[in-house]
Amino acid sequence: MLNLLAKYALEHDLEAEPGFKPKQVRWLIVLDDQGTFIEVIELGKAEESKNRGHEYAKCPDLSQPEMISGGVTRCQFLVETADVVTLLSEKKDLNSTDITGEKSRKKFEFFKHLLRSSSLAIPQLGIIADSLDNEMSLDKIQSRLQTLKVKPTDKVTFKVGSLVPLESDIWHEWWRGFRKELALDQADKHAPKKDQLRINKKKTDVKDTMRCIVTGELVEPLKTHPKIERLADVGGIASGDVLIGFDKDAFCSYNLSQSENAAVGVQAAAAYRAALNHLIKETGQRLAGAKIVHWFKKKITNQEDPLDFLLEPEEIQELSASHGLRKLLTGIKEGQRSDLLENHFYAMTLSGASGRIMLRDWIEGDFTELVLNVVNWFNDLSIVRSDGAGLARDPKFLAVLGGTVRKLDDLQPPFISKMWRVAVCGEPIPGHVMTQALLRTKIDIIKDEGFNHARMGLIKAFNLRKQRQKGGSLMQDELRPLLNENHPDPAYQCGRLMAVMAQLQRRALGEVGAGLIQRYYAAASSTPALVLGRLTRTSQFHLNKLDPGLAYWYDSKIAEIWGHIKDNVPRTLSLESQSVFALGYYQQIADLRSGKSTESHEKQGAKNE
């Protein structure tokens, strides 16, 4: 996995040099060649309320250990928050004399120190430091930032004359040297005694090397790895989370500490960090408490991405997912898209936990097989609309998962990971998932709160995949998206019977509060033999209240369903059979609501009078 990420970074020309990374900057402080303040310019798409600014591809970046090692308060170089660069929070309003904390002051001083240290190589950076040292100049910058309502946490950088340092490489060599000196100084002055021997070896160029698990090369392993960003919405922290990290004695065998236990070189770590940050930004899809990222061996368009159809982002919502995928699959099989035959996909499910990344799942496989699995996912979920007006729209993946819980916040990352694998790999749906969906369906039916199409499709898909797992194919013909009046399972026919008698009561008596469904559905779906016979006898009283033509139709329908059940009324139904009962009930309700059957049989009943 790490090797594939490093390869992705290389193939996509991502910035993977240690000490550098892309950063988004929202504000540009403009000075003239003498350091006089001119203006503050908003970068990026200023018209957008959530403007994140402009992304500079190669910015200086100190890792978290570099920022805090040796007890010295440090900050980033060239790009920092408005508070660090200008002490913006010192001026909460124009008349305020409040000062920031000591830590912010120290960061401000260190920022100027970096500018002065680099000014021998880049004179313009010394001009920036002089401007920040000048109280009148700093006050003008602070006032302008306040006028523009710049937040203290917004990222800022500088332009001096015609030079924007971040757009130039003139500071790169100086920065590399600075980081190298910083690493040597901190190792020499502040390392614990148990590491002194290793430090002394470094000074004599005798390195402690190990085999990198990413590249296979001999490297000096990193003790701490760079952080991955953009997982704060799935349990991570804003400053980033590490993919590889150890802090327990159980992982410190052979006198190895921290991340030396999973030996990765500094270049390989920078590469996988660059790849993951890019993938999360470009393809990351949040699903409740987890985030899914994916990529392909050979690049494809969004319109050909099966996982985009599965997640259904906004740009393809107007398309039919199953139709588009079937068309793509046909093209591959008929040789029209031979370029996709040897393609592969890779997908990760991630979440954060206390500064660490939890890799929930890793999936890789053949592209054609992926397309087939996603097509089957939509086929299995296909279900008639509750009003009988055709098939329900292909559901989003999250809508299917949401059908098992009361609210989306109740979805847990392990459950999401499992269902993602079910959809992507064509695996059977776990029984507990069907149980949850059945419970929510039963509650909705009894409370008369309407049907959830994705939930009913999930129950149908469970039964199809369960039989498919056993090597059977009859269920595919028996359990269709629309009503199957000849379905051989008595549980299905019992569900149909319940639907017809419930509709009969409504036509005869109207809304009666706690009707037949509220009073008997739970019992009928678990012990039909104890309930359905009595309800059938009661239905005779309801028939007498209808017009003759309509009464004839309902009487014929009840008789037809009993003709399928015969003497096979189940005494009890297992949870799986209860799910079939629910499908029979739902599909019969949808057929009744379509009105076609009722109208034709009313006319036929009138002729028979």
Side-chain angles (χ1 to χ4, degrees):
M1 180 191 76
L2 293 176
N3 178 266
L4 290 169
L5 287 170
K7 185 178 180 181
Y8 179 91
L10 179 64
E11 291 175 346
H12 289 77
D13 297 322
L14 301 180
E15 179 51 57
E17 181 180 354
F20 299 86
K21 78 172 185 178
K23 291 184 180 180
Q24 289 181 311
V25 184
R26 186 170 180 181
W27 304 98
L28 183 68
I29 300 174
V30 182
L31 309 175
D32 66 14
D33 290 324
Q34 285 72 45
T36 302
F37 171 67
I38 298 177
E39 181 59 284
V40 176
I41 299 175
E42 184 174 6
L43 303 175
K45 298 180 180 179
E47 68 278 4
E48 294 183 0
S49 59
K50 294 184 178 180
N51 176 30
R52 296 178 62 88
H54 174 72
E55 182 174 285
Y56 290 94
K58 197 164 188 174
C59 299
D61 182 62
L62 288 177
S63 66
Q64 188 65 13
E66 290 173 323
M67 292 278 283
I68 63 176
S69 64
V72 178
T73 302
R74 299 185 180 87
C75 66
Q76 299 290 355
F77 177 52
L78 290 181
V79 179
E80 254 295 357
T81 64
D83 196 33
V84 169
V85 173
T86 69
L87 294 175
L88 182 60
S89 57
E90 271 196 2
K91 295 190 63 171
K92 295 180 180 177
D93 56 63
L94 294 176
N95 300 318
S96 173
T97 58
D98 292 345
I99 61 172
T100 59
E102 182 181 355
K103 188 174 182 180
S104 295
R105 267 286 177 184
K106 287 182 178 180
K107 287 186 175 182
F108 174 65
E109 295 299 330
F110 190 80
F111 187 80
K112 292 188 294 181
H113 165 72
L114 289 176
L115 294 172
R116 294 198 187 284
S117 298
S118 61
S119 62
L120 292 177
I122 316 106
Q124 292 91 332
L125 300 186
I127 294 174
I128 298 173
D130 291 338
S131 181
L132 294 176
D133 256 345
N134 185 296
E135 290 187 7
M136 290 184 62
S137 175
L138 182 60
D139 183 71
K140 289 180 180 179
I141 295 173
Q142 290 173 332
S143 298
R144 184 56 179 155
L145 292 174
Q146 282 187 329
T147 301
L148 293 173
K149 297 182 179 180
V150 176
K151 298 177 182 177
T153 55
D154 284 351
K155 294 289 194 302
V156 301
T157 191
F158 287 88
K159 178 180 181 180
V160 182
S162 60
L163 175 67
V164 178
L166 287 182
E167 295 177 348
S168 170
D169 62 357
I170 58 176
W171 53 271
H172 290 186
E173 283 305 316
W174 176 87
W175 179 245
R176 293 183 184 104
F178 170 80
R179 289 188 65 252
K180 186 175 182 180
E181 291 179 7
L182 178 64
L184 290 174
D185 288 345
Q186 295 305 321
D188 193 24
K189 295 178 181 179
H190 302 286
K193 291 182 180 179
K194 66 178 182 179
D195 288 338
Q196 287 297 334
L197 179 61
R198 187 157 61 89
I199 293 169
N200 291 335
K201 287 182 180 179
K202 288 180 185 177
K203 291 182 178 180
T204 59
D205 291 330
V206 179
K207 303 275 187 179
D208 287 336
T209 59
M210 298 176 66
R211 191 70 64 181
C212 177
I213 63 175
V214 179
T215 65
E217 300 173 352
L218 286 173
V219 298
E220 184 180 0
L222 283 175
K223 291 180 72 68
T224 56
H225 283 234
K227 294 187 176 182
I228 310 302
E229 301 169 350
R230 300 176 185 269
L231 293 176
D233 56 340
V234 289
I237 58 179
S239 60
D241 307 271
V242 294
L243 181 63
I244 298 176
F246 303 87
D247 66 349
K248 298 293 186 293
D249 292 340
F251 299 103
C252 296
S253 303
Y254 307 105
N255 285 327
L256 298 175
S257 61
Q258 295 180 292
S259 297
E260 291 176 338
N261 292 272
V264 177
V266 61
Q267 189 63 48
Y272 85 67
R273 188 271 298 266
L276 258 183
N277 280 338
H278 182 265
L279 285 167
I280 292 172
K281 177 186 175 184
E282 298 298 325
T283 72
Q285 291 280 352
R286 183 176 181 269
L287 295 176
K291 187 165 288 189
I292 291 173
V293 298
H294 70 279
W295 73 100
F296 298 89
K297 182 179 180 181
K298 298 178 182 178
K299 190 174 182 180
I300 62 174
T301 66
N302 288 341
Q303 289 72 28
E304 297 168 338
D305 189 340
L307 299 183
D308 268 1
F309 279 103
L310 185 61
L311 298 168
E312 199 176 7
E314 292 182 2
E315 59 266 25
I316 64 169
Q317 280 187 358
E318 67 276 7
L319 301 176
S320 167
S322 55
H323 173 75
L325 287 171
R326 289 190 197 103
K327 185 177 179 181
L328 179 61
L329 187 60
T330 301
I332 294 173
K333 290 181 176 179
E334 293 180 353
Q336 300 169 3
R337 296 304 311 273
S338 57
D339 56 308
L340 298 177
L341 283 174
E342 296 182 0
N343 205 355
H344 282 73
F345 76 96
Y346 312 97
M348 309 170 69
T349 305
L350 308 170
S351 62
S354 302
R356 287 177 171 77
I357 291 177
M358 298 185 71
L359 178 59
R360 299 284 181 181
D361 203 3
W362 165 260
I363 306 173
E364 59 178 295
D366 179 73
F367 180 82
T368 305
E369 185 178 345
L370 171 65
V371 177
L372 179 61
N373 287 337
V374 179
V375 167
N376 287 337
W377 169 260
F378 286 118
N379 286 344
D380 292 346
L381 289 170
S382 179
I383 196 77
V384 65
R385 286 167 50 103
S386 59
D387 60 4
L391 298 181
R393 184 180 174 182
D394 295 325
K396 295 182 182 180
F397 180 72
L398 192 56
V400 177
L401 271 57
T404 65
V405 291
R406 186 172 59 88
K407 54 184 180 180
L408 291 179
D409 291 343
D410 294 335
L411 292 173
Q412 298 299 315
F415 171 72
I416 296 171
S417 298
K418 176 58 183 176
M419 290 303 295
W420 177 253
R421 180 169 283 275
V422 167
V424 172
C425 301
E427 295 182 355
I429 297 172
H432 70 87
V433 176
M434 181 278 296
T435 301
Q436 290 175 257
L438 180 62
L439 175 62
R440 300 306 313 172
T441 298
K442 190 176 294 187
I443 292 172
D444 287 347
I445 290 174
I446 293 174
K447 290 185 176 181
D448 197 21
E449 293 184 350
F451 292 100
N452 181 307
H453 294 142
R455 184 180 294 145
M456 299 309 302
L458 181 60
I459 293 174
K460 169 177 169 279
F462 166 81
N463 286 281
L464 288 175
R465 294 195 172 205
K466 184 174 179 64
Q467 190 185 72
R468 196 178 297 146
Q469 184 186 23
K470 297 178 180 178
S473 59
L474 288 176
M475 183 70 77
Q476 192 75 38
D477 297 324
E478 297 167 354
L479 200 55
R480 307 165 189 163
L482 300 170
L483 176 68
N484 179 10
E485 295 182 343
N486 298 312
H487 197 291
D489 194 330
Y492 185 89
Q493 297 294 342
C494 288
R496 288 187 61 206
L497 184 61
M498 191 71 183
V500 171
M501 290 192 291
Q503 185 76 356
L504 170 59
Q505 184 191 57
R506 289 193 183 95
R507 295 298 294 265
L509 306 178
E511 296 299 331
V512 293
L516 182 147
I517 293 300
Q518 287 71 33
R519 295 170 63 187
Y520 296 109
Y521 181 88
S525 63
S526 56
T527 55
L530 297 178
V531 178
L532 294 182
R534 181 172 54 176
L535 293 182
T536 302
R537 290 190 294 272
T538 304
S539 68
Q540 299 304 311
F541 298 102
H542 298 149
L543 290 171
N544 294 333
K545 295 180 179 296
L546 299 179
D547 293 336
L550 193 56
Y552 172 82
W553 183 86
Y554 275 107
D555 191 39
S556 299
K557 179 60 67 175
I558 292 172
E560 175 255 316
I561 296 174
W562 273 110
H564 289 292
I565 299 174
K566 299 178 182 177
D567 296 328
N568 299 320
V569 185
R571 290 182 176 275
T572 60
L573 293 178
S574 64
L575 287 174
E576 292 179 17
S577 294
Q578 288 182 43
S579 71
V580 177
F581 180 100
L583 286 169
Y585 175 84
Y586 171 77
Q587 291 180 328
Q588 182 64 69
I589 285 288
D591 186 72
L592 292 170
R593 288 176 177 175
S594 69
K596 297 176 182 178
S597 298
T598 310
E599 290 173 6
S600 62
H601 281 80
E602 270 192 75
K603 293 177 181 178
Q604 183 64 38
K607 291 179 181 179
N608 294 337
E609 288 182 2

